[in-house]
PDB file of all heavy atoms in Angstrom:
ATOM      1  N   LEU K   1       0.854  -1.163  -0.056  1.00  0.00           N
ATOM      2  CA  LEU K   1       0.051   0.019   0.077  1.00  0.00           C
ATOM      3  C   LEU K   1       0.870   1.265   0.005  1.00  0.00           C
ATOM      4  O   LEU K   1       1.989   1.299   0.469  1.00  0.00           O
ATOM      5  CB  LEU K   1      -0.793  -0.011   1.247  1.00  0.00           C
ATOM      6  CG  LEU K   1      -1.781  -1.128   1.422  1.00  0.00           C
ATOM      7  CD1 LEU K   1      -2.579  -1.146   2.668  1.00  0.00           C
ATOM      8  CD2 LEU K   1      -2.905  -1.211   0.165  1.00  0.00           C
ATOM      9  N   LYS K   2       0.329   2.389  -0.578  1.00  0.00           N
ATOM     10  CA  LYS K   2       1.025   3.582  -0.647  1.00  0.00           C
ATOM     11  C   LYS K   2       0.629   4.513   0.580  1.00  0.00           C
ATOM     12  O   LYS K   2      -0.563   4.700   0.823  1.00  0.00           O
ATOM     13  CB  LYS K   2       0.769   4.302  -1.930  1.00  0.00           C
ATOM     14  CG  LYS K   2       1.367   3.575  -3.127  1.00  0.00           C
ATOM     15  CD  LYS K   2       1.035   4.285  -4.475  1.00  0.00           C
ATOM     16  CE  LYS K   2       1.589   3.416  -5.670  1.00  0.00           C
ATOM     17  NZ  LYS K   2       1.297   4.119  -6.933  1.00  0.00           N
ATOM     18  N   PHE K   3       1.602   5.089   1.211  1.00  0.00           N
ATOM     19  CA  PHE K   3       1.413   6.005   2.394  1.00  0.00           C
ATOM     20  C   PHE K   3       1.794   7.429   2.102  1.00  0.00           C
ATOM     21  O   PHE K   3       2.579   8.024   2.912  1.00  0.00           O
ATOM     22  CB  PHE K   3       2.049   5.359   3.669  1.00  0.00           C
ATOM     23  CG  PHE K   3       1.478   4.107   4.138  1.00  0.00           C
ATOM     24  CD1 PHE K   3       1.784   2.909   3.639  1.00  0.00           C
ATOM     25  CD2 PHE K   3       0.659   4.141   5.231  1.00  0.00           C
ATOM     26  CE1 PHE K   3       1.268   1.716   4.095  1.00  0.00           C
ATOM     27  CE2 PHE K   3       0.015   3.036   5.694  1.00  0.00           C
ATOM     28  CZ  PHE K   3       0.334   1.783   5.165  1.00  0.00           C
ATOM     29  N   THR K   4       1.411   7.882   0.908  1.00  0.00           N
ATOM     30  CA  THR K   4       1.736   9.180   0.497  1.00  0.00           C
ATOM     31  C   THR K   4       1.017  10.299   1.228  1.00  0.00           C
ATOM     32  O   THR K   4      -0.226  10.163   1.285  1.00  0.00           O
ATOM     33  CB  THR K   4       1.549   9.247  -1.030  1.00  0.00           C
ATOM     34  OG1 THR K   4       2.100   8.242  -1.723  1.00  0.00           O
ATOM     35  CG2 THR K   4       2.103  10.677  -1.539  1.00  0.00           C
ATOM     36  N   PHE K   5       1.672  11.233   1.726  1.00  0.00           N
ATOM     37  CA  PHE K   5       1.010  12.295   2.538  1.00  0.00           C
ATOM     38  C   PHE K   5       0.479  13.355   1.527  1.00  0.00           C
ATOM     39  O   PHE K   5       1.313  13.961   0.861  1.00  0.00           O
ATOM     40  CB  PHE K   5       1.987  12.916   3.561  1.00  0.00           C
ATOM     41  CG  PHE K   5       1.413  14.008   4.380  1.00  0.00           C
ATOM     42  CD1 PHE K   5       0.266  13.826   5.069  1.00  0.00           C
ATOM     43  CD2 PHE K   5       2.068  15.321   4.402  1.00  0.00           C
ATOM     44  CE1 PHE K   5      -0.279  14.855   5.838  1.00  0.00           C
ATOM     45  CE2 PHE K   5       1.503  16.254   5.153  1.00  0.00           C
ATOM     46  CZ  PHE K   5       0.375  16.063   5.866  1.00  0.00           C
ATOM     47  N   LYS K   6      -0.835  13.502   1.536  1.00  0.00           N
ATOM     48  CA  LYS K   6      -1.481  14.552   0.712  1.00  0.00           C
ATOM     49  C   LYS K   6      -2.360  15.414   1.554  1.00  0.00           C
ATOM     50  O   LYS K   6      -3.669  15.087   1.708  1.00  0.00           O
ATOM     51  CB  LYS K   6      -2.228  13.842  -0.360  1.00  0.00           C
ATOM     52  CG  LYS K   6      -1.336  12.961  -1.314  1.00  0.00           C
ATOM     53  CD  LYS K   6      -2.045  12.420  -2.503  1.00  0.00           C
ATOM     54  CE  LYS K   6      -1.112  11.549  -3.379  1.00  0.00           C
ATOM     55  NZ  LYS K   6      -1.911  11.041  -4.580  1.00  0.00           N
ATOM     56  N   PRO K   7      -1.827  16.521   2.135  1.00  0.00           N
ATOM     57  CA  PRO K   7      -2.557  17.280   3.091  1.00  0.00           C
ATOM     58  C   PRO K   7      -3.929  17.802   2.589  1.00  0.00           C
ATOM     59  O   PRO K   7      -4.867  17.818   3.276  1.00  0.00           O
ATOM     60  CB  PRO K   7      -1.650  18.402   3.591  1.00  0.00           C
ATOM     61  CG  PRO K   7      -0.591  18.418   2.532  1.00  0.00           C
ATOM     62  CD  PRO K   7      -0.453  17.081   1.972  1.00  0.00           C
ATOM     63  N   LYS K   8      -3.925  18.430   1.341  1.00  0.00           N
ATOM     64  CA  LYS K   8      -5.105  19.005   0.793  1.00  0.00           C
ATOM     65  C   LYS K   8      -6.289  17.954   0.567  1.00  0.00           C
ATOM     66  O   LYS K   8      -7.391  18.264   1.045  1.00  0.00           O
ATOM     67  CB  LYS K   8      -4.808  19.616  -0.639  1.00  0.00           C
ATOM     68  CG  LYS K   8      -6.144  20.392  -1.210  1.00  0.00           C
ATOM     69  CD  LYS K   8      -5.774  20.980  -2.531  1.00  0.00           C
ATOM     70  CE  LYS K   8      -7.060  21.673  -3.006  1.00  0.00           C
ATOM     71  NZ  LYS K   8      -8.201  20.762  -3.105  1.00  0.00           N
ATOM     72  N   GLU K   9      -5.889  16.808   0.036  1.00  0.00           N
ATOM     73  CA  GLU K   9      -6.839  15.728  -0.210  1.00  0.00           C
ATOM     74  C   GLU K   9      -7.381  15.189   1.182  1.00  0.00           C
ATOM     75  O   GLU K   9      -8.577  14.896   1.325  1.00  0.00           O
ATOM     76  CB  GLU K   9      -6.291  14.643  -0.961  1.00  0.00           C
ATOM     77  CG  GLU K   9      -6.032  14.884  -2.460  1.00  0.00           C
ATOM     78  CD  GLU K   9      -4.780  15.692  -2.732  1.00  0.00           C
ATOM     79  OE1 GLU K   9      -4.148  16.016  -1.679  1.00  0.00           O
ATOM     80  OE2 GLU K   9      -4.451  15.989  -3.859  1.00  0.00           O
ATOM     81  N   THR K  10      -6.560  15.190   2.215  1.00  0.00           N
ATOM     82  CA  THR K  10      -6.893  14.699   3.494  1.00  0.00           C
ATOM     83  C   THR K  10      -7.926  15.706   4.084  1.00  0.00           C
ATOM     84  O   THR K  10      -8.950  15.266   4.711  1.00  0.00           O
ATOM     85  CB  THR K  10      -5.680  14.614   4.482  1.00  0.00           C
ATOM     86  OG1 THR K  10      -4.778  13.715   3.851  1.00  0.00           O
ATOM     87  CG2 THR K  10      -6.195  14.130   5.847  1.00  0.00           C
ATOM     88  N   ILE K  11      -7.653  17.082   4.041  1.00  0.00           N
ATOM     89  CA  ILE K  11      -8.596  17.974   4.512  1.00  0.00           C
ATOM     90  C   ILE K  11      -9.931  17.983   3.799  1.00  0.00           C
ATOM     91  O   ILE K  11     -10.951  18.058   4.455  1.00  0.00           O
ATOM     92  CB  ILE K  11      -7.962  19.414   4.449  1.00  0.00           C
ATOM     93  CG1 ILE K  11      -6.752  19.489   5.499  1.00  0.00           C
ATOM     94  CG2 ILE K  11      -8.915  20.517   4.891  1.00  0.00           C
ATOM     95  CD1 ILE K  11      -5.888  20.713   5.315  1.00  0.00           C
ATOM     96  N   ASP K  12      -9.804  17.852   2.546  1.00  0.00           N
ATOM     97  CA  ASP K  12     -11.047  17.696   1.690  1.00  0.00           C
ATOM     98  C   ASP K  12     -11.901  16.568   2.143  1.00  0.00           C
ATOM     99  O   ASP K  12     -13.150  16.623   2.265  1.00  0.00           O
ATOM    100  CB  ASP K  12     -10.643  17.574   0.192  1.00  0.00           C
ATOM    101  CG  ASP K  12     -10.136  18.798  -0.320  1.00  0.00           C
ATOM    102  OD1 ASP K  12     -10.177  19.931   0.209  1.00  0.00           O
ATOM    103  OD2 ASP K  12      -9.601  18.703  -1.520  1.00  0.00           O
ATOM    104  N   THR K  13     -11.246  15.448   2.450  1.00  0.00           N
ATOM    105  CA  THR K  13     -11.997  14.193   2.757  1.00  0.00           C
ATOM    106  C   THR K  13     -12.632  14.426   4.134  1.00  0.00           C
ATOM    107  O   THR K  13     -13.802  14.035   4.347  1.00  0.00           O
ATOM    108  CB  THR K  13     -11.048  12.959   2.921  1.00  0.00           C
ATOM    109  OG1 THR K  13     -10.278  12.886   1.645  1.00  0.00           O
ATOM    110  CG2 THR K  13     -11.738  11.712   3.157  1.00  0.00           C
ATOM    111  N   VAL K  14     -11.847  14.961   5.090  1.00  0.00           N
ATOM    112  CA  VAL K  14     -12.465  15.215   6.491  1.00  0.00           C
ATOM    113  C   VAL K  14     -13.625  16.118   6.253  1.00  0.00           C
ATOM    114  O   VAL K  14     -14.781  15.925   6.959  1.00  0.00           O
ATOM    115  CB  VAL K  14     -11.431  15.888   7.380  1.00  0.00           C
ATOM    116  CG1 VAL K  14     -12.077  16.348   8.696  1.00  0.00           C
ATOM    117  CG2 VAL K  14     -10.286  14.919   7.696  1.00  0.00           C
ATOM    118  N   ALA K  15     -13.565  17.202   5.519  1.00  0.00           N
ATOM    119  CA  ALA K  15     -14.634  18.163   5.387  1.00  0.00           C
ATOM    120  C   ALA K  15     -15.894  17.562   4.836  1.00  0.00           C
ATOM    121  O   ALA K  15     -16.981  17.787   5.228  1.00  0.00           O
ATOM    122  CB  ALA K  15     -14.165  19.416   4.576  1.00  0.00           C
ATOM    123  N   MET K  16     -15.734  16.765   3.677  1.00  0.00           N
ATOM    124  CA  MET K  16     -16.838  16.142   3.095  1.00  0.00           C
ATOM    125  C   MET K  16     -17.529  15.116   3.951  1.00  0.00           C
ATOM    126  O   MET K  16     -18.786  15.140   4.088  1.00  0.00           O
ATOM    127  CB  MET K  16     -16.361  15.439   1.767  1.00  0.00           C
ATOM    128  CG  MET K  16     -16.122  16.441   0.620  1.00  0.00           C
ATOM    129  SD  MET K  16     -15.861  15.605  -0.944  1.00  0.00           S
ATOM    130  CE  MET K  16     -14.180  14.858  -0.682  1.00  0.00           C
ATOM    131  N   MET K  17     -16.761  14.347   4.744  1.00  0.00           N
ATOM    132  CA  MET K  17     -17.321  13.425   5.692  1.00  0.00           C
ATOM    133  C   MET K  17     -18.067  14.123   6.857  1.00  0.00           C
ATOM    134  O   MET K  17     -19.121  13.717   7.207  1.00  0.00           O
ATOM    135  CB  MET K  17     -16.236  12.483   6.285  1.00  0.00           C
ATOM    136  CG  MET K  17     -15.709  11.461   5.458  1.00  0.00           C
ATOM    137  SD  MET K  17     -14.684  10.336   6.347  1.00  0.00           S
ATOM    138  CE  MET K  17     -13.459  11.300   7.049  1.00  0.00           C
ATOM    139  N   TYR K  18     -17.365  15.189   7.315  1.00  0.00           N
ATOM    140  CA  TYR K  18     -18.051  15.917   8.400  1.00  0.00           C
ATOM    141  C   TYR K  18     -19.385  16.571   8.015  1.00  0.00           C
ATOM    142  O   TYR K  18     -20.346  16.638   8.781  1.00  0.00           O
ATOM    143  CB  TYR K  18     -17.125  16.939   8.958  1.00  0.00           C
ATOM    144  CG  TYR K  18     -17.503  17.288  10.425  1.00  0.00           C
ATOM    145  CD1 TYR K  18     -17.227  16.424  11.469  1.00  0.00           C
ATOM    146  CD2 TYR K  18     -18.189  18.505  10.690  1.00  0.00           C
ATOM    147  CE1 TYR K  18     -17.566  16.754  12.780  1.00  0.00           C
ATOM    148  CE2 TYR K  18     -18.548  18.809  12.003  1.00  0.00           C
ATOM    149  CZ  TYR K  18     -18.197  17.983  13.016  1.00  0.00           C
ATOM    150  OH  TYR K  18     -18.593  18.237  14.306  1.00  0.00           O
ATOM    151  N   PHE K  19     -19.382  17.127   6.752  1.00  0.00           N
ATOM    152  CA  PHE K  19     -20.654  17.716   6.349  1.00  0.00           C
ATOM    153  C   PHE K  19     -21.799  16.626   6.249  1.00  0.00           C
ATOM    154  O   PHE K  19     -22.959  16.804   6.745  1.00  0.00           O
ATOM    155  CB  PHE K  19     -20.471  18.350   4.924  1.00  0.00           C
ATOM    156  CG  PHE K  19     -21.769  18.640   4.339  1.00  0.00           C
ATOM    157  CD1 PHE K  19     -22.548  19.732   4.745  1.00  0.00           C
ATOM    158  CD2 PHE K  19     -22.290  17.878   3.218  1.00  0.00           C
ATOM    159  CE1 PHE K  19     -23.810  20.058   4.163  1.00  0.00           C
ATOM    160  CE2 PHE K  19     -23.552  18.139   2.705  1.00  0.00           C
ATOM    161  CZ  PHE K  19     -24.213  19.205   3.040  1.00  0.00           C
ATOM    162  N   LEU K  20     -21.436  15.443   5.754  1.00  0.00           N
ATOM    163  CA  LEU K  20     -22.456  14.371   5.575  1.00  0.00           C
ATOM    164  C   LEU K  20     -22.850  13.897   7.016  1.00  0.00           C
ATOM    165  O   LEU K  20     -24.089  13.703   7.304  1.00  0.00           O
ATOM    166  CB  LEU K  20     -21.905  13.165   4.841  1.00  0.00           C
ATOM    167  CG  LEU K  20     -21.669  13.479   3.292  1.00  0.00           C
ATOM    168  CD1 LEU K  20     -21.037  12.274   2.673  1.00  0.00           C
ATOM    169  CD2 LEU K  20     -22.989  13.730   2.685  1.00  0.00           C
ATOM    170  N   ASN K  21     -21.909  13.776   7.918  1.00  0.00           N
ATOM    171  CA  ASN K  21     -22.249  13.405   9.269  1.00  0.00           C
ATOM    172  C   ASN K  21     -23.107  14.470   9.975  1.00  0.00           C
ATOM    173  O   ASN K  21     -24.061  14.190  10.710  1.00  0.00           O
ATOM    174  CB  ASN K  21     -20.996  13.120  10.105  1.00  0.00           C
ATOM    175  CG  ASN K  21     -20.259  11.893   9.680  1.00  0.00           C
ATOM    176  OD1 ASN K  21     -20.909  10.937   9.086  1.00  0.00           O
ATOM    177  ND2 ASN K  21     -18.959  11.755  10.034  1.00  0.00           N
ATOM    178  N   TYR K  22     -22.837  15.673   9.642  1.00  0.00           N
ATOM    179  CA  TYR K  22     -23.606  16.814  10.351  1.00  0.00           C
ATOM    180  C   TYR K  22     -25.069  16.792   9.798  1.00  0.00           C
ATOM    181  O   TYR K  22     -25.920  16.968  10.583  1.00  0.00           O
ATOM    182  CB  TYR K  22     -22.915  18.123   9.977  1.00  0.00           C
ATOM    183  CG  TYR K  22     -23.404  19.283  10.724  1.00  0.00           C
ATOM    184  CD1 TYR K  22     -23.016  19.552  12.065  1.00  0.00           C
ATOM    185  CD2 TYR K  22     -24.351  20.184  10.032  1.00  0.00           C
ATOM    186  CE1 TYR K  22     -23.542  20.739  12.714  1.00  0.00           C
ATOM    187  CE2 TYR K  22     -24.934  21.252  10.802  1.00  0.00           C
ATOM    188  CZ  TYR K  22     -24.467  21.472  12.067  1.00  0.00           C
ATOM    189  OH  TYR K  22     -24.951  22.634  12.800  1.00  0.00           O
ATOM    190  N   ALA K  23     -25.107  16.654   8.486  1.00  0.00           N
ATOM    191  CA  ALA K  23     -26.488  16.574   7.883  1.00  0.00           C
ATOM    192  C   ALA K  23     -27.282  15.430   8.412  1.00  0.00           C
ATOM    193  O   ALA K  23     -28.457  15.558   8.693  1.00  0.00           O
ATOM    194  CB  ALA K  23     -26.312  16.569   6.326  1.00  0.00           C
ATOM    195  N   ILE K  24     -26.684  14.197   8.461  1.00  0.00           N
ATOM    196  CA  ILE K  24     -27.284  13.035   8.906  1.00  0.00           C
ATOM    197  C   ILE K  24     -27.671  13.210  10.344  1.00  0.00           C
ATOM    198  O   ILE K  24     -28.740  12.674  10.833  1.00  0.00           O
ATOM    199  CB  ILE K  24     -26.471  11.703   8.676  1.00  0.00           C
ATOM    200  CG1 ILE K  24     -26.272  11.505   7.208  1.00  0.00           C
ATOM    201  CG2 ILE K  24     -27.009  10.570   9.386  1.00  0.00           C
ATOM    202  CD1 ILE K  24     -25.189  10.498   6.932  1.00  0.00           C
ATOM    203  N   GLY K  25     -26.832  13.786  11.184  1.00  0.00           N
ATOM    204  CA  GLY K  25     -26.993  14.135  12.533  1.00  0.00           C
ATOM    205  C   GLY K  25     -28.299  14.997  12.796  1.00  0.00           C
ATOM    206  O   GLY K  25     -29.128  14.728  13.670  1.00  0.00           O
ATOM    207  N   ILE K  26     -28.561  15.913  11.942  1.00  0.00           N
ATOM    208  CA  ILE K  26     -29.738  16.769  11.963  1.00  0.00           C
ATOM    209  C   ILE K  26     -30.963  15.874  11.665  1.00  0.00           C
ATOM    210  O   ILE K  26     -32.064  16.046  12.329  1.00  0.00           O
ATOM    211  CB  ILE K  26     -29.612  17.929  10.982  1.00  0.00           C
ATOM    212  CG1 ILE K  26     -28.511  18.863  11.406  1.00  0.00           C
ATOM    213  CG2 ILE K  26     -30.975  18.704  10.832  1.00  0.00           C
ATOM    214  CD1 ILE K  26     -28.261  19.952  10.482  1.00  0.00           C
ATOM    215  N   ILE K  27     -30.895  15.072  10.713  1.00  0.00           N
ATOM    216  CA  ILE K  27     -32.030  14.105  10.288  1.00  0.00           C
ATOM    217  C   ILE K  27     -32.275  13.210  11.509  1.00  0.00           C
ATOM    218  O   ILE K  27     -33.440  12.985  11.834  1.00  0.00           O
ATOM    219  CB  ILE K  27     -31.764  13.379   9.107  1.00  0.00           C
ATOM    220  CG1 ILE K  27     -31.550  14.314   7.879  1.00  0.00           C
ATOM    221  CG2 ILE K  27     -32.854  12.335   8.891  1.00  0.00           C
ATOM    222  CD1 ILE K  27     -31.131  13.637   6.624  1.00  0.00           C
ATOM    223  N   GLY K  28     -31.262  12.656  12.073  1.00  0.00           N
ATOM    224  CA  GLY K  28     -31.331  11.824  13.225  1.00  0.00           C
ATOM    225  C   GLY K  28     -32.042  12.545  14.418  1.00  0.00           C
ATOM    226  O   GLY K  28     -32.829  11.908  15.130  1.00  0.00           O
ATOM    227  N   ALA K  29     -31.612  13.848  14.661  1.00  0.00           N
ATOM    228  CA  ALA K  29     -32.309  14.533  15.769  1.00  0.00           C
ATOM    229  C   ALA K  29     -33.808  14.706  15.483  1.00  0.00           C
ATOM    230  O   ALA K  29     -34.617  14.649  16.485  1.00  0.00           O
ATOM    231  CB  ALA K  29     -31.520  15.901  15.904  1.00  0.00           C
ATOM    232  N   LEU K  30     -34.108  14.889  14.215  1.00  0.00           N
ATOM    233  CA  LEU K  30     -35.566  15.103  13.884  1.00  0.00           C
ATOM    234  C   LEU K  30     -36.328  13.796  14.108  1.00  0.00           C
ATOM    235  O   LEU K  30     -37.449  13.779  14.581  1.00  0.00           O
ATOM    236  CB  LEU K  30     -35.694  15.622  12.515  1.00  0.00           C
ATOM    237  CG  LEU K  30     -35.107  17.022  12.230  1.00  0.00           C
ATOM    238  CD1 LEU K  30     -35.265  17.300  10.723  1.00  0.00           C
ATOM    239  CD2 LEU K  30     -36.000  18.059  12.971  1.00  0.00           C
ATOM    240  N   LEU K  31     -35.632  12.671  13.700  1.00  0.00           N
ATOM    241  CA  LEU K  31     -36.242  11.375  13.883  1.00  0.00           C
ATOM    242  C   LEU K  31     -36.447  10.928  15.293  1.00  0.00           C
ATOM    243  O   LEU K  31     -37.421  10.298  15.645  1.00  0.00           O
ATOM    244  CB  LEU K  31     -35.521  10.242  13.146  1.00  0.00           C
ATOM    245  CG  LEU K  31     -35.461  10.310  11.563  1.00  0.00           C
ATOM    246  CD1 LEU K  31     -34.544   9.268  11.035  1.00  0.00           C
ATOM    247  CD2 LEU K  31     -36.897  10.100  11.105  1.00  0.00           C
ATOM    248  N   SER K  32     -35.539  11.436  16.110  1.00  0.00           N
ATOM    249  CA  SER K  32     -35.632  11.125  17.642  1.00  0.00           C
ATOM    250  C   SER K  32     -36.859  11.730  18.202  1.00  0.00           C
ATOM    251  O   SER K  32     -37.378  11.356  19.214  1.00  0.00           O
ATOM    252  CB  SER K  32     -34.314  11.593  18.366  1.00  0.00           C
ATOM    253  OG  SER K  32     -34.351  13.006  18.309  1.00  0.00           O
ATOM    254  N   LYS K  33     -37.366  12.824  17.571  1.00  0.00           N
ATOM    255  CA  LYS K  33     -38.562  13.478  18.100  1.00  0.00           C
ATOM    256  C   LYS K  33     -39.834  12.578  17.900  1.00  0.00           C
ATOM    257  O   LYS K  33     -40.782  12.782  18.609  1.00  0.00           O
ATOM    258  CB  LYS K  33     -38.749  14.812  17.317  1.00  0.00           C
ATOM    259  CG  LYS K  33     -37.606  15.849  17.504  1.00  0.00           C
ATOM    260  CD  LYS K  33     -37.443  16.314  18.916  1.00  0.00           C
ATOM    261  CE  LYS K  33     -36.309  17.305  18.969  1.00  0.00           C
ATOM    262  NZ  LYS K  33     -36.196  17.878  20.421  1.00  0.00           N
ATOM    263  N   ILE K  34     -39.690  11.650  17.014  1.00  0.00           N
ATOM    264  CA  ILE K  34     -40.850  10.796  16.706  1.00  0.00           C
ATOM    265  C   ILE K  34     -40.592   9.421  17.350  1.00  0.00           C
ATOM    266  O   ILE K  34     -41.347   8.428  17.075  1.00  0.00           O
ATOM    267  CB  ILE K  34     -41.201  10.626  15.201  1.00  0.00           C
ATOM    268  CG1 ILE K  34     -39.940  10.056  14.550  1.00  0.00           C
ATOM    269  CG2 ILE K  34     -41.546  12.057  14.578  1.00  0.00           C
ATOM    270  CD1 ILE K  34     -40.263   9.773  13.046  1.00  0.00           C
ATOM    271  N   GLY K  35     -39.676   9.341  18.208  1.00  0.00           N
ATOM    272  CA  GLY K  35     -39.429   8.063  18.980  1.00  0.00           C
ATOM    273  C   GLY K  35     -38.331   7.230  18.552  1.00  0.00           C
ATOM    274  O   GLY K  35     -38.183   6.140  19.159  1.00  0.00           O
ATOM    275  N   LEU K  36     -37.547   7.473  17.400  1.00  0.00           N
ATOM    276  CA  LEU K  36     -36.418   6.666  17.050  1.00  0.00           C
ATOM    277  C   LEU K  36     -35.386   6.780  18.115  1.00  0.00           C
ATOM    278  O   LEU K  36     -34.832   7.857  18.322  1.00  0.00           O
ATOM    279  CB  LEU K  36     -35.856   7.005  15.715  1.00  0.00           C
ATOM    280  CG  LEU K  36     -34.818   6.227  15.136  1.00  0.00           C
ATOM    281  CD1 LEU K  36     -35.325   4.801  14.816  1.00  0.00           C
ATOM    282  CD2 LEU K  36     -34.167   6.849  13.878  1.00  0.00           C
TER     283      LEU K  36
END
């Protein structure tokens, strides 16, 4: 496997994941209001 350090791509990946997790977290909070 290649362990090449690519800081920009790493930051981009973190940001995209965090946005998705944040959006899903909001949906989960809304679903918890109905008993999930």
